[in-house]
Amino acid sequence: MRVPNHIAIILDGNGRWAKKRGMPRSFGHVKGCENLEDICEVAKELGVKYLTVYAFSTENWKRSKEEVDGLMKLFRNYLKKCIKISQKNNMRVKVIGDITAFDSDIQESIEKLEDFSKDFTDLHFQIALNYGSRDEMVRAMRHMADDLSSGNLSKDEITEEVFNGYLDTKELPDPDLMIRTSGEERLSNFMLWQLAYTEFYFTDVLWPDFNKKELIKAIEYYNGRDRRFGGI
Ligand code: IPE
Ligand code: IPE
Ligand code: MG
């Protein structure tokens, strides 16, 4: 089985998973977070080199205060716990997205985790938090505009590679396989630039139920695809 080098996952369906059990949405998020720990381990075991997960979008602030507060609490705990997980899995962790919107203690936990795990090499694990692809591109363009006006960059030097280097995902290969759980078939503002030639896999399975067997199914689907990148 050919294992994709970079898998990106839109973790969706936590709320519906909880609702089916008569539980509050926050319970679904707790279960979804536990599942993320398992999937990191499985991904490493299968030989995946890069795993990127969409955990909180720039649009998710629109949810109820109760739900957003619950998610922040979950991120606080998870980011701390992730120090141990990164060591156990020899996994480098990075957060993509605009983290300046988070409380300062969350920002500090992110910096600590990124710094602690920076030399781990088995799995490169990216968590998208307050991430939106349009926001990422606008931030990139602002940064480019600064470099243009300071003379660090000239208009003629702007290429796809140069633009790519201004994104949060700089230094990462593009995803080979994108998985979205819970039956939704849209990108919801996830990695619009980076997914240009990625294979998409959609499953009705809700994120808290997406286990090793389901990940292998997705990889098998990927193996059946004929990737072309515009050639023949
Ligand atoms: C995904 O699950 C997790 C986040 C977006 C934070 P949802 O919370 O979107 O669950 P559904 O889609 O309502 O079931
Ligand atoms: C996308 O899921 C964002 C994350 C999984 C973090 P949503 O559940 O927020 O997306 P929509 O609203 O169904 O498009
Ligand atoms: Mg959803």
Side-chain angles (χ1 to χ4, degrees):
M1 195 169 68
R2 207 163 30 99
V3 175
N5 185 46
H6 185 175
I7 299 182
I9 312 182
I10 302 178
L11 317 174
D12 201 9
N14 292 348
R16 278 163 281 170
W17 186 91
K19 194 174 174 207
K20 263 175 49 184
R21 288 161 179 78
M23 299 296 282
R25 295 177 60 82
S26 58
F27 181 63
H29 294 316
V30 170
K31 286 292 169 189
C33 192
E34 284 172 17
N35 194 43
L36 187 55
E37 288 180 33
D38 293 345
I39 288 296
C40 277
E41 229 177 285
V42 170
K44 181 200 139 140
E45 209 181 285
L46 295 174
V48 175
K49 282 311 236 180
Y50 295 84
L51 176 70
T52 302
V53 300
Y54 199 14
F56 191 82
S57 73
T58 46
E59 288 73 32
N60 286 147
W61 297 105
K62 291 184 211 154
R63 296 191 178 192
S64 71
K65 182 174 181 319
E66 189 192 357
E67 182 166 355
V68 171
D69 286 350
L71 284 165
M72 294 305 137
K73 193 173 157 202
L74 196 60
F75 296 153
R76 275 193 174 86
N77 293 337
Y78 176 75
L79 289 164
K80 291 208 175 89
K81 198 172 171 197
C82 202
I83 294 246
K84 279 207 181 108
I85 302 173
S86 71
Q87 192 162 32
K88 186 171 131 222
N89 291 345
N90 189 25
M91 122 188 148
R92 178 174 188 173
V93 189
K94 274 190 192 165
V95 170
I96 59 169
D98 180 7
I99 66 162
T100 62
F102 294 115
D103 285 350
S104 55
D105 68 302
I106 295 187
Q107 295 184 45
E108 279 158 27
S109 290
I110 291 170
E111 277 160 30
K112 220 166 139 186
L113 174 61
E114 289 185 335
D115 185 58
F116 178 83
S117 66
K118 68 178 186 305
D119 296 323
F120 296 149
T121 50
D122 275 359
L123 177 66
H124 295 249
F125 177 47
Q126 291 67 236
I127 315 170
L129 290 178
N130 191 30
Y131 176 89
S133 194
R134 290 178 174 180
D135 177 68
E136 177 190 37
M137 286 194 258
V138 168
R139 284 186 287 108
M141 281 187 247
R142 286 198 181 131
H143 188 181
M144 261 168 88
D146 283 343
D147 284 349
L148 285 167
S149 51
S150 67
N152 282 336
L153 180 72
S154 74
K155 191 181 99 190
D156 296 335
E157 281 171 344
I158 302 173
T159 59
E160 290 185 12
E161 286 68 33
V162 168
F163 180 72
N164 198 56
Y166 282 87
L167 297 173
D168 298 345
T169 52
K170 59 179 166 288
E171 293 158 13
L172 298 176
D174 286 341
D176 301 286
L177 172 66
M178 192 286 298
I179 299 170
R180 183 167 187 158
T181 56
S182 87
E184 307 305 335
E185 302 192 356
R186 55 179 171 271
L187 288 178
S188 303
N189 205 6
F190 185 51
M191 295 179 109
L192 304 180
W193 167 275
Q194 297 87 343
L195 296 176
Y197 270 100
T198 302
E199 298 293 335
F200 288 4
Y201 176 82
F202 299 105
T203 172
D204 287 339
V205 174
L206 304 173
W207 172 250
D209 293 328
F210 189 88
N211 55 19
K212 180 175 180 177
K213 196 175 117 234
E214 297 299 333
L215 183 60
I216 290 175
K217 255 198 237 172
I219 296 175
E220 279 168 357
Y221 166 84
Y222 171 80
N223 273 262
R225 306 301 305 164
D226 174 19
R227 298 194 75 192
R228 296 209 166 179
F229 302 97
I232 45 167

